[in-house]
Amino acid sequence: MTGSTEKNTGEAVSEFTLPEGCMLCGGAVTIRSTPGGGAHSYCPHCHWLSRTRLRMRKEGLEIAYATQAFA
């Protein structure tokens, strides 16, 4: 995956978008990471919600999805 839009929304909360990152439809996925709550993702195209696991590796950021619900 290539470029993403990243913004800092406040106290250690970050949000970014992965183009073509949706595991279901291939749409853009928005991921929001908070210090106490972990990370959550949402696809506005198919409405897929997921609890996202983020891990820093020396090769870059590793992202794993665990589906929680469909909206």
Side-chain angles (χ1 to χ4, degrees):
M1 286 177 215
T2 57
S4 66
T5 305
E6 184 176 344
K7 62 183 173 179
N8 190 334
T9 57
E11 293 181 5
V13 173
S14 53
E15 184 176 298
F16 57 95
T17 301
L18 294 176
E20 302 174 6
C22 181
M23 300 296 286
L24 298 180
C25 74
V29 171
T30 301
I31 298 176
R32 178 175 284 177
S33 176
T34 60
H40 297 84
S41 63
Y42 171 69
C43 175
H45 183 260
C46 70
H47 307 288
W48 179 53
L49 301 170
S50 177
R51 178 111 164 116
T52 306
R53 293 176 298 230
L54 304 174
R55 180 184 297 180
M56 287 303 297
R57 301 232 181 222
K58 59 183 170 182
E59 301 86 22
L61 181 64
E62 177 183 279
I63 300 171
Y65 299 110
T67 302
Q68 295 293 318
F70 290 97

